[in-house]
Each structure stands twice: as structure tokens, then as C-alpha cells.
Amino acid sequence: MSQSSSAASPTGNAPQEALMGYHELLGMQVVEWQEGRAVVELAIEPQHLNRSGNVHGGVLASMLDSALSLAGLHCSVPGNIRRGMTLSLTTSFVGPAREGVIQAIGTLRGGGQKTYMSNGEIKDSQGNLVAIGEGAFRRRSGSESPEGMPDPLAGERHE
């Protein structure tokens, strides 16, 4: 899965442009984003549930993929972007989530200019652990520097 990130404000607040397309379809929102950390939130709706009434594992894996990837793609330069892709993602489902809001918290753990590793977890609104994950990601060409590169779509997103 490919991720891209537009610059966040100096306070660490994330623009919604960090997640587009598929992420918007699921209803994910970035609620925190800073160097080495990203938090993605989802309000559980009926379309997120499996036949047992729990949030589908694919939704949880998507949330972890996004949060873990974004943890290594923060860019503090307004109008610039960093892009990356998932190389591997391991997810373990720990407990059910049925209602309310769930949060995926991704933390950068190491790596170099191109390849980096992150891990994280999903918790429900009561603080119960729902899933854990870890992954390896690669920054795309031009995204190795924390300053990123100019975002060619920046103007289109804000019109």
C-alpha cells in the first residue's frame, strides 16, 4: 500500500490530505501526526463490521498500515510531501471492537533513509487492546529527507 504525507502544522496537527481515497472510503482520520508518531482514528459504523458484529480484520489491518507508515513520513515543510510504501505488515488481532471510536497509534522504531520499521496498536475508546502490528516500509525517491519534496497536488486539494 502506498502512503503519502503533506506537511503538518508546527503543532503536530495533521492535515486530512495524509489519507486519501481508500482511507476516506473507510472513514479514517489522522488525529495526531509528528515526527516518529501518527494516530489514525475511526468511528465504527455498521459497514465496518463482520458477520459476528466485530470490526473486520481488514479494517484493523488498514488502520495499522496507515498509522505505521505515516509514523515514518512526517514532513514539517508546508507544501511538501513524503511518500512511502509498505514492504511487509504483520497484524495480530487481540480483542473485539464493536462500537465507538478506535485509534491506531503508530511509532517509528528504526531504519535508515529509505527503509524504516514501525510498530503500533489499536485501542478502543475504553483503552482495551484490539490489535497490534509491526511493519517495514520504504520511502519513495525524493522522500528520504525530512523536508520531503514539493507536492504537485497541493493546490488541487485545497480548492
Side-chain angles (χ1 to χ4, degrees), residues 31-54:
V31 295
E32 180 187 334
W33 196 12
Q34 57 190 336
E35 186 63 39
R37 179 180 162 92
V39 180
V40 175
E41 192 172 87
L42 176 83
I44 298 170
E45 300 287 339
Q47 67 267 22
H48 299 125
L49 305 178
N50 60 23
R51 294 188 311 165
S52 299
N54 300 319

Side-chain angles (χ1 to χ4, degrees), residues 54-85:
N54 300 319
V55 174
H56 191 281
V59 174
L60 299 173
S62 292
M63 289 183 70
L64 282 167
D65 187 33
S66 296
L68 274 58
S69 176
L70 289 173
L73 295 174
H74 183 264
C75 180
S76 60
V77 178
N80 280 8
I81 190 169
R82 295 176 83 190
R83 292 190 171 128
M85 67 177 125

